[in-house]
Amino acid sequence: MAISRRKFLGWMGAAGLGATVGKSAHAASNKHFEGYPDSPGVLHDIVRCVGCRSCEAACNSVNQLPPPEQSFKDLTVLDRKRRTDAKTYTVVNRFETESGGNAPIFVKNQCNHCLEPACASACFVHAFTKTKEGAVIYDESVCVGCRYCMIACPFEIPTYEYDKALTPRVMKCTLCHPRLLEGKLPGCVEVCPTEALTFGRREDLLNIARERIRRQPDRYIDQIYGENEMGGTSWLYIAGTPFRELGKREDLGLTPAPALTAGALGAVPIVVGLWPVLLTGIYAVSQRKDKIAREEQSEAIADAVAASKEDAAAELKKVLAMKEKEKETAINMAVKKALEEAAKAQEEEAAKAQEEEAAEPPQDDPESKPTEEDS
């Protein structure tokens, strides 16, 4: 029974321990699923890979993923080991091993699309499905975000969109399933310039791999990784170096994941019963924390606004006082200048008058002239 995220969260308000214990529920792993052994897959010939990252660029484009921080043509990213994440479905890593003569070896890493997927066996809401096209696909509409798939995957592939608080998804390679339904090749296979990636029926790919190993035993080790590991995968590998030196786990055994998890996940009915109760508590705590955070934020904003108003008022008062002082100073200077100019004009006028008086010729005094009587 598939359930939506909305319906699952709705259970939290209505479900209780007493109402759920004793009811039956079935995990995906309780029914042994043998996969589609004749489904398509991909053979990655590590010997042929040159680390050009064309597959990464094609994957990014086909799946409309966010652009990387560094260009796909920038091969300096190969200086560090990388893994897939919510924005990167496939990565190419470089290895330098003693058995490989310290020559660079390039390995593409992505979801291996197991024949009997561990992610599907651990998912009690059936969010993961193995398809007859070979791909393991994910249905976000039923996912409840438990992330058991991430724990269950032995290859550490599924990643979570932690930066999306409201609508997070589990992200991984889809083997370009929509393209497969249209009769197209996976994006990475289509662009590989050295034919290091081959798409086809799994049995045909195994035959191709065996033939290459038989013809060139000096170039390849006698092992096809993914043929039997964890019950087999749709993504197969051949290489000239032991896989343990190329970051591949060799401790997985041959038993499919469902056979290993069926017993443990037999307790899923109880888990499903307790899950709403647990999430109800988590939700309540989260809501309370959010409420307290909002109140604290509101108080902080109010305090900041009040402090800003006080600072603004003080700054305004300071500016006004400064302007008043500047105005008073300007007036005093203007008055002083006017007085100085008036005094100077007065002095210049007095000096001019003196100069004019000194320049006039002396006049005879009529009283000093002799008269006829005096003669």
Side-chain angles (χ1 to χ4, degrees):
M1 176 182 68
I3 60 174
S4 67
R5 190 187 299 262
R6 181 185 298 273
K7 184 183 294 184
F8 185 80
L9 294 176
W11 285 358
M12 298 191 303
L17 181 59
T20 53
V21 172
K23 293 185 178 181
S24 62
H26 297 283
S29 63
N30 287 342
K31 295 181 180 180
H32 186 64
F33 172 67
E34 296 182 355
Y36 298 97
D38 199 36
S39 61
V42 177
L43 171 64
H44 176 25
D45 189 335
I46 295 174
V47 172
R48 295 186 178 187
C49 184
V50 295
C52 65
R53 300 184 66 202
S54 296
C55 54
E56 292 186 33
C59 178
N60 180 275
S61 175
V62 167
N63 292 286
Q64 298 180 338
L65 299 174
E69 295 181 0
Q70 293 176 257
S71 167
F72 289 110
K73 295 182 179 180
D74 186 354
L75 301 184
T76 61
V77 299
L78 299 176
D79 294 339
R80 64 181 187 278
K81 296 296 183 292
R82 298 176 296 150
R83 60 159 295 179
T84 58
D85 56 39
K87 300 177 182 178
T88 311
Y89 290 174
T90 186
V91 295
V92 175
N93 282 319
R94 182 179 64 206
F95 296 85
E96 295 178 0
T97 65
E98 293 183 3
S99 58
N102 293 323
I105 301 172
F106 303 97
V107 182
K108 181 180 181 298
N109 195 36
Q110 71 298 301
C111 175
N112 288 319
H113 299 278
C114 304
L115 297 183
E116 301 179 56
C119 55
S121 72
C123 183
F124 60 85
V125 294
H126 304 272
F128 285 92
T129 305
K130 176 69 175 182
T131 68
K132 62 182 180 180
E133 291 79 25
V136 176
I137 60 175
Y138 164 74
D139 184 355
E140 64 182 272
S141 68
V142 301
C143 178
V144 296
C146 68
R147 285 162 280 177
Y148 288 165
C149 54
M150 295 173 60
I151 299 173
C153 178
F155 304 107
E156 299 181 348
I157 292 298
T159 55
Y160 200 63
E161 289 183 314
Y162 289 101
D163 58 340
K164 293 187 178 181
L166 299 179
T167 58
R169 297 169 296 173
V170 176
M171 307 296 282
K172 72 172 194 68
C173 162
T174 65
L175 198 61
C176 291
H177 186 249
R179 290 173 60 88
L180 298 184
L181 295 178
E182 296 175 1
K184 299 178 181 179
L185 291 172
C188 57
V189 176
E190 188 174 64
V191 302
C192 183
T194 61
E195 296 185 357
L197 302 175
T198 305
F199 179 81
R201 289 175 58 252
R202 187 172 185 274
E203 190 58 40
D204 293 338
L205 296 177
L206 288 171
N207 290 333
I208 292 172
R210 294 189 187 104
E211 183 63 14
R212 290 183 186 177
I213 293 171
R214 185 189 68 81
R215 287 187 175 184
Q216 297 178 296
D218 56 327
R219 296 191 66 191
Y220 298 96
I221 61 171
D222 190 8
Q223 181 183 358
I224 304 174
Y225 192 87
E227 180 178 11
N228 298 307
E229 281 75 10
M230 292 295 293
T233 62
S234 291
W235 205 281
L236 305 168
Y237 302 81
I238 54 175
T241 304
F243 288 103
R244 63 178 177 276
E245 298 181 18
L246 302 178
K248 298 295 182 183
R249 292 184 60 179
E250 293 191 328
D251 60 342
L252 299 176
L254 310 180
T255 306
L260 298 173
T261 59
L265 289 179
V268 164
I270 297 177
V271 173
V272 172
L274 293 175
W275 193 261
V277 180
L278 174 62
L279 288 187
T280 300
I282 295 174
Y283 180 76
V285 171
S286 176
Q287 288 296 98
R288 178 171 175 77
K289 289 176 65 178
D290 290 344
K291 181 180 179 181
I292 293 173
R294 287 195 297 271
E295 291 175 353
E296 291 178 348
Q297 186 179 25
S298 298
E299 292 177 2
I301 292 174
D303 292 343
V305 170
S308 297
K309 288 182 178 179
E310 292 177 1
D311 292 343
E315 189 66 23
L316 178 60
K317 185 177 180 181
K318 182 179 178 181
V319 170
L320 291 175
M322 185 181 299
K323 293 297 182 182
E324 187 66 26
K325 186 175 181 180
E326 290 177 355
K327 181 179 179 181
E328 183 180 351
T329 302
I331 292 173
N332 292 337
M333 290 181 65
V335 171
K336 182 179 179 181
K337 184 177 180 180
L339 292 174
E340 290 176 350
E341 290 178 351
K344 185 177 179 181
Q346 188 175 4
E347 291 177 358
E348 289 177 351
E349 187 175 348
K352 184 177 180 182
Q354 290 178 359
E355 289 176 358
E356 289 178 352
E357 184 178 352
E360 290 180 357
Q363 298 180 358
D364 295 335
D365 188 354
E367 295 181 357
S368 64
K369 289 184 179 181
T371 62
E372 294 178 356
E373 294 177 357
D374 291 336
S375 60

